[in-house]
Amino acid sequence: MVLDLTASSVDLTRAICDIPSVSGDENTLADAIEEALTPFAHLEVLRHGNTVVARTSLGRAQRVAIAGHIDTVPINANLPTRLVAIEGQPHLWGRGTVDMKGGTAVQLKLAAELTEPAVDITWMWYDNEEVEASKNGLGLLAADRPDLFHADFAILGEPSNGEVEGGCNGTLRAIVRTSGVRAHSARAWIGENAIHRAAPILSRLAEYRAREVMVEGLLYRESLSAVRISGGVAGNVIPDACEVEVNYRFAPSKTAADAEAHIRSVLAGFDVEITDAAEGARPGLDAPIAQQFVEAVGAEPRPKYGWTDVARFSALGIPAVNYGPGDPHLAHHDEERVPLAQIDAVERGLRAWLTSP
């Protein structure tokens, strides 16, 4: 597959969306990106697994990292892409249009075209963002090549409706277990039903009220939810085990340790195992370069509720924001679609800032 980086950002979005790249299967798209970028003399192109890096070395006073993931959640009869009209406005429909190949396409086009940007740029397109953190291409790159993460500011092309979303919530996953005693379901009183014992867990989660936390002028909303439940042996057996998987999205003012303590408090009395945790990122909008970016793109900063890889940059002391086309509410949705006007607007905003003196 050959990518034409002279095409419009809209056409480029469609082209890269139509290359299926579900997490773990990004090789074809990564190959196409590497091949498309290699001829440009102003870029040094590097490959790390299925992560592609392209960077300028112009001796500018500041360097910016601009990143986008190339994987998607599984396809569900929503490829190939197609153009649709929503309330009279043209949209591109299909898997990846929102999360986040619209932003990735804008980045690819600008990487090719901006031969003399006002700052040096390290462009990063990485794999396995939608799965467990241990596989995340950006994290693996940071571990092996920390030198590539020297930057004064970072932008992640996650969907933000073309606005600037500062920082992100943290995320924690836990398994909450109950146990019982197996018995024949015709003589249920002989056993102890582990699934029934999970009822108080679900009640506490259903009654939980999300907190709103102000962090550096942005209001982050938390959530605590059951996302999966499993248990049972057979249709005629009282179950002796049940597991409820819980996901806690917490404000970036909390550490992962704070989040764990909160989970254990809410679910006190139950067997709780923390299986995954990633701290959030504070907005970082007090940095002068971040303020210049917000002013240049003409956006009103908002909080990012979902966890994104801005947290990886924040952990390295690099202020980072989310800026990309697409409604975050439609990320992973089977009706994923992005307004064409938003793709164009993000390209204009990013181009204007990267070329301003």
Side-chain angles (χ1 to χ4, degrees), residues 93-124:
W93 175 97
R95 177 63 78 225
T97 53
V98 170
D99 193 11
M100 56 163 282
K101 290 182 176 178
T104 297
V106 168
Q107 294 168 5
L108 286 168
K109 182 173 179 61
L110 293 180
E113 292 184 1
L114 299 184
T115 59
E116 292 288 337
V119 292
D120 269 315
I121 308 170
T122 302
W123 305 93
M124 301 172 169

Side-chain angles (χ1 to χ4, degrees), residues 26-50:
E26 300 97 333
N27 188 69
T28 299
L29 180 54
D31 286 348
I33 289 172
E34 181 182 23
E35 182 180 350
L37 291 169
T38 298
F40 291 93
H42 66 287
L43 296 173
E44 177 191 8
V45 180
L46 308 167
R47 180 79 175 258
H48 184 273
N50 283 327

